[in-house]
Amino acid sequence: MDGISQAILEHADGAGTRGVAMGQLVDALVGRGYSAEAIEQAIWALLGARRLTPSGFLCRHIRRRDALGEVVQTRCYELLLAPWSSELDHQLDLDLAAEDELDEDEDDHAP
């Protein structure tokens, strides 16, 4: 395993089962000299290899001013990442085909 992947897993393991926010993980490893892009790619590779798993998410409310100076609030969601566990693994098996079928059924009942 390469150094960046090991660093990601160590950081996630230190957060326990609750997980660490992906942004916090990236920021921590950028501080150790890795590039943000390399960290992000390694995180997705670890998710794909089932070495990391989502353990939840954060919802942040972001306020900013639009072009007219009005305050606009939006939500931003961020994954919490934890080391792979059999308890959390089932959530990675998304049955997207079944969801497509549900969407088609809903279309059949549209007015």
Side-chain angles (χ1 to χ4, degrees):
M1 178 179 307
D2 63 358
I4 194 169
S5 295
Q6 187 64 37
I8 290 167
L9 292 173
E10 288 172 4
H11 199 80
D13 190 45
T17 56
R18 180 174 181 271
V20 61
M22 187 172 172
Q24 291 172 331
L25 181 68
V26 172
D27 288 343
L29 295 182
V30 164
R32 292 174 55 182
Y34 296 103
S35 75
E37 294 80 14
I39 299 163
E40 293 160 358
Q41 289 175 353
I43 287 170
W44 291 114
L46 289 167
L47 285 165
R50 288 195 158 143
R51 298 292 311 271
L52 275 181
T53 191
S55 62
F57 63 91
L58 295 174
C59 176
R60 301 182 193 275
H61 294 268
I62 300 172
R63 290 188 193 119
R64 63 176 178 80
R65 296 201 180 272
D66 66 11
L68 300 174
E70 297 292 323
V71 175
V72 177
Q73 181 171 310
T74 59
R75 289 178 179 84
C76 178
Y77 294 90
E78 184 175 2
L79 288 176
L80 292 172
L81 301 172
W84 182 90
S85 73
S86 58
E87 296 82 35
L88 294 173
D89 188 60
H90 70 281
Q91 69 184 336
L92 296 175
D93 294 324
L94 302 174
D95 189 6
L96 299 178
E99 288 182 26
D100 288 341
E101 291 171 11
L102 288 175
D103 289 342
E104 289 174 11
D105 289 344
E106 288 174 6
D107 290 342
D108 292 342
H109 301 290

